[in-house]
Amino acid sequence: DKWATWASPFYPGFTLMLDKVLDKVLNGPTFRDLRATDANMYLVLTLHSFNRGHPMVPQSKPCEDAVTIAAGKRLGLVSWTRFKPHEKFHLSEYMQAFVEGLGYQLKTYGMMDGRKLVRYQCVVVRQQWDELRTSFLEAFQVQKAAYRRANGGTAAPTLVEDAAPRFVLRDISCSAQQSGIKTIVRKTFVEFEEGSDDSADCLKRSNSTGEVMAYFV
């Protein structure tokens, strides 16, 4: 159905009014506070420098490949073993296992905003992380000593807090080749996952705390 011609002069005024209302609502203090709360609710953790094998976790039961660190006696963390050495590493799984070894619980996520993070990153609830952060970092220092003891040298895993998320992109080129579609990629950054031979295309998450500058009708 077509609009009546007599209503045409009112269209610009109506769309302008709607644009102003939406701009006022979306950029108002309520929505701005909600965006800020959402941005600070979660924390992205990144693990670096574990090319010589998976990091270590506390070991409560005796095992043959355990590494003993006397410095961990004060914390009750003397025995350490490598985390799932024959499986692909996922930081979300590692963090849960590590924290459970300390007697705590931590919810970790391998996805953010419905998108999969690279394997050496995970998301945690900031408030929950802050509650056990001191205990974790103290134990993680012992883990570094265990890693060096197991591998030799001075390199050891490093945990970075509040890192920028990096997402795994779907292999568009492969799916396009299967369907016979030619794919051209321009100005694309490619990052290789640390600690593995697999490649992963990654991109940064845009800042979700910024104002909604315009709304198009």
Side-chain angles (χ1 to χ4, degrees):
D1 296 339
K2 294 183 178 181
W3 292 88
T5 54
W6 61 266
S8 298
F10 299 98
Y11 293 162
F14 175 76
T15 55
L16 180 62
M17 180 180 64
L18 180 61
D19 179 71
K20 289 182 178 180
V21 171
L22 291 174
D23 178 73
K24 184 177 180 179
V25 172
L26 296 178
N27 290 323
T30 301
F31 272 78
R32 189 182 298 114
D33 292 343
L34 287 175
R35 288 194 291 272
T37 300
D38 177 71
N40 293 319
M41 184 174 294
Y42 298 99
L43 179 75
V44 178
L45 301 176
T46 300
L47 193 69
H48 291 302
S49 305
F50 57 103
N51 291 325
R52 302 189 67 182
H54 293 184
M56 315 294 283
V57 288
Q59 177 67 31
S60 57
K61 299 178 181 179
C63 64
E64 295 180 357
D65 59 347
V67 175
T68 301
I69 301 298
K73 187 175 182 179
R74 182 178 60 86
L75 301 174
L77 302 172
V78 176
S79 183
W80 295 79
T81 187
R82 201 174 298 278
F83 176 72
K84 295 184 177 180
H86 305 298
E87 300 180 21
K88 277 192 173 183
F89 178 80
H90 294 275
L91 183 59
S92 58
E93 297 177 0
Y94 173 73
M95 291 297 296
Q96 284 187 350
F98 193 102
V99 169
E100 287 175 2
L102 303 180
Y104 298 99
Q105 295 291 326
L106 177 68
K107 290 184 178 180
T108 62
Y109 307 91
M111 299 186 69
M112 186 175 189
D113 296 338
R115 300 167 65 186
K116 188 176 180 180
L117 292 166
V118 291
R119 292 189 286 114
Y120 55 87
Q121 284 192 331
C122 73
V123 177
V124 296
V125 179
R126 186 181 295 272
Q127 181 179 358
Q128 192 177 15
W129 171 251
D130 288 342
E131 292 174 357
L132 56 85
R133 178 180 181 274
T134 301
S135 299
F136 175 89
L137 294 179
E138 191 175 18
F140 198 71
Q141 290 299 319
V142 184
Q143 183 278 150
K144 289 186 175 184
Y147 191 88
R148 296 186 185 103
R149 176 73 60 81
N151 297 291
T154 59
T158 301
L159 189 72
V160 179
E161 304 174 69
D162 233 345
R166 297 188 177 277
F167 303 102
V168 177
L169 297 180
R170 293 180 179 178
D171 193 351
I172 302 176
S173 60
C174 292
S175 59
Q177 289 175 3
Q178 292 177 0
S179 60
I181 302 174
K182 184 178 180 181
T183 304
I184 300 175
V185 181
R186 296 188 179 93
K187 297 182 180 179
T188 302
F189 294 95
V190 178
E191 176 176 308
F192 293 92
E193 284 195 15
E194 187 169 355
S196 80
D197 295 330
D198 299 328
S199 62
D201 291 346
C202 310
L203 53 86
K204 265 190 174 182
R205 181 191 183 193
S206 60
N207 184 0
S208 60
T209 61
E211 290 189 352
V212 179
M213 300 304 296
Y215 185 93
F216 297 95
V217 180

